[in-house]
Amino acid sequence: MQDDAEPAAAIHEALDPAATSPERFEPDADGGKLVHAEHIARYRWAAELAEGRTVLDAGCGTGYGSLVLAQAGAHRLVAIDASAEAVAQTQARLGERGEATRADARELPFADESFDLIVCFEVIEHIGGGDRALAEFARTLRPDGVLVISSPNPRRYLQGNPHHVHEYVPEELQAALGQHFAHVSLAAQRAWLGSFIAGQEQLHQLQDAEQNLISAALPGSDADAEGTYVLAAAGHGEAQLPAPRLVFGGAFEVKWWMEQVREREIVAARAQETEARLAALEARLVEVEQERARLLSERPQFERAVADLARAREVMTDLQESVSWKLTTPLRSGKQIVQRTRRPPQ
């Protein structure tokens, strides 16, 4: 995490993703995709707590989430962002349903205990000195209020995002929140065909439902794995997590993911065929090695037989070249003639 005394220019760059980062989400451009499901799922999850409350959306971006909170029945909706352009877009989106203003999350321009609900999604990782923002959230949150916050989990999230100052693993976010809030509850967000958010205890209660969902997920989904994003609810009093939330992308996005499933199935089938062929080749190789071992074991006996034959040929050659062999040649020839004459007529 960067030091609080970093130069003002660096602070501005960390606070203002619009100035340095192309990753500000805009549903008009990316609507219906999985990234849309991920972003909107977080706000719908938090919106369960918004009805009748004074709500702060810290890091509102273009205001798509602020609108979800306002439509959920927030008594008063305040949205802040470091980007003047983002604030203008948010205000246009909200109209009279809320107010948007430019502000630094580490120096909130609000009195103590101003909000019942503070929402801060995918912002804290962009802020140098994020602990100052958490302290400001704690200061402006009412005693019975709730902060809901998220960060990419670097153990699961794609590595190397140059626009992120610091990403929190679950236990790290819990410890950081614990410095300012009496109660902290963690949740995880996983991406399947849609985007699923639930707390750790809620997952135990929904085990059967989760298994049913996983049956429709991509191969290799792990119910026990950490989520791509770590979320938390924190408060000075009891901070109860909203109900689990599953949000699907548009039909095209689901179709695209199903095509990936089919492609993986084809690849898996080909891999299985290749493995079967390899297994057959390995079995044949074992047979060849066994035959080779047998032949090697019989080689000494074969070599002895060859040596015996060679010696027999040498003896026969010596015999044929001897004087006695040559002197008895006529006798052997006569014997053969007699044997032929004694044969019965055919």
Side-chain angles (χ1 to χ4, degrees):
M1 190 173 292
Q2 293 185 0
D3 190 271
D4 289 349
E6 59 191 322
I11 292 177
H12 176 71
E13 289 181 355
L15 280 173
D16 191 354
T20 61
S21 171
E23 64 174 359
R24 186 185 295 281
F25 175 70
E26 174 50 63
D28 292 343
D30 296 311
K33 297 181 180 179
L34 179 60
V35 65
H36 186 192
E38 288 180 337
H39 282 72
I40 207 69
R42 287 189 283 267
Y43 275 101
R44 289 184 181 176
W45 181 67
E48 181 182 323
L49 306 176
E51 185 176 2
R53 293 185 169 184
T54 301
V55 180
L56 173 66
D57 185 9
C60 59
T62 59
Y64 67 93
S66 302
L67 183 59
V68 171
L69 297 170
Q71 290 173 335
H75 172 69
R76 179 189 175 204
L77 189 286
V78 180
I80 67 166
D81 200 280
S83 166
E85 179 185 0
V87 167
Q89 289 178 298
T90 297
Q91 191 61 68
R93 225 177 204 124
L94 287 174
E96 297 181 354
R97 287 171 288 198
E99 54 191 277
T101 184
R102 190 176 186 187
D104 183 336
R106 296 171 297 185
E107 297 180 6
L108 294 176
F110 308 111
D112 295 353
E113 300 181 6
S114 293
F115 301 102
D116 301 301
L117 173 64
I118 298 176
V119 177
C120 183
F121 290 146
E122 301 308 289
V123 175
I124 194 72
E125 69 273 12
H126 291 275
I127 300 177
D131 190 66
R132 287 168 53 188
L134 298 182
E136 282 292 272
F137 295 153
R139 179 183 67 80
T140 56
L141 189 68
R142 290 172 180 163
D144 59 348
V146 178
L147 163 70
V148 285
I149 189 169
S150 72
S151 167
N153 178 1
R155 288 199 289 251
R156 295 290 182 269
Y157 189 78
L158 184 66
Q159 297 293 313
N161 190 319
H163 309 290
H164 290 180
V165 177
H166 183 77
E167 299 169 352
Y168 293 76
V169 297
E171 58 270 23
E172 186 180 15
L173 183 60
Q174 185 170 29
L177 289 168
Q179 296 295 316
H180 304 280
F181 299 94
H183 297 275
V184 179
S185 299
L186 291 183
Q189 182 173 14
R190 302 181 176 94
W192 296 335
L193 287 178
S195 189
F196 182 64
I197 302 174
Q200 295 171 337
E201 294 299 322
Q202 292 167 335
L203 286 180
H204 292 299
Q205 298 170 8
L206 296 174
Q207 184 175 6
D208 293 339
E210 186 184 33
Q211 292 298 330
N212 290 336
L213 290 169
I214 289 175
S215 68
L218 292 175
S221 294
D222 186 351
D224 297 322
E226 293 178 355
T228 308
Y229 302 91
V230 54
L231 294 86
H236 302 300
E238 184 178 358
Q240 186 173 0
L241 290 168
R245 177 72 59 172
L246 175 63
V247 175
F248 287 96
F252 174 82
E253 183 76 354
V254 173
K255 179 181 178 182
W256 184 88
W257 278 107
M258 292 307 295
E259 288 173 353
Q260 306 312 302
V261 172
R262 285 193 290 271
E263 184 174 339
R264 288 193 180 196
E265 290 174 346
I266 292 171
V267 171
R270 289 175 179 171
Q272 189 173 7
E273 292 176 1
T274 301
E275 289 177 359
R277 292 174 184 172
L278 287 175
L281 289 174
E282 288 175 356
R284 179 56 183 156
L285 181 60
V286 170
E287 294 176 359
V288 170
E289 289 293 335
Q290 291 174 343
E291 182 65 15
R292 179 175 178 271
R294 185 187 66 78
L295 292 175
L296 288 174
S297 67
E298 295 177 356
R299 182 172 180 175
Q301 181 180 354
F302 175 76
E303 290 177 344
R304 287 195 297 272
V306 171
D308 291 344
L309 180 60
R311 286 193 294 272
R313 287 178 175 173
E314 291 176 359
V315 171
M316 189 63 183
T317 300
D318 293 342
L319 179 62
Q320 290 175 342
E321 293 178 354
S322 67
V323 174
S324 59
W325 180 269
K326 294 177 181 179
L327 291 174
T328 58
T329 297
L331 295 176
R332 289 194 302 277
S333 299
K335 183 178 180 181
Q336 292 174 356
I337 293 171
V338 171
Q339 289 176 343
R340 285 197 294 270
T341 58
R342 288 181 177 178
R343 288 178 185 172
Q346 297 295 326

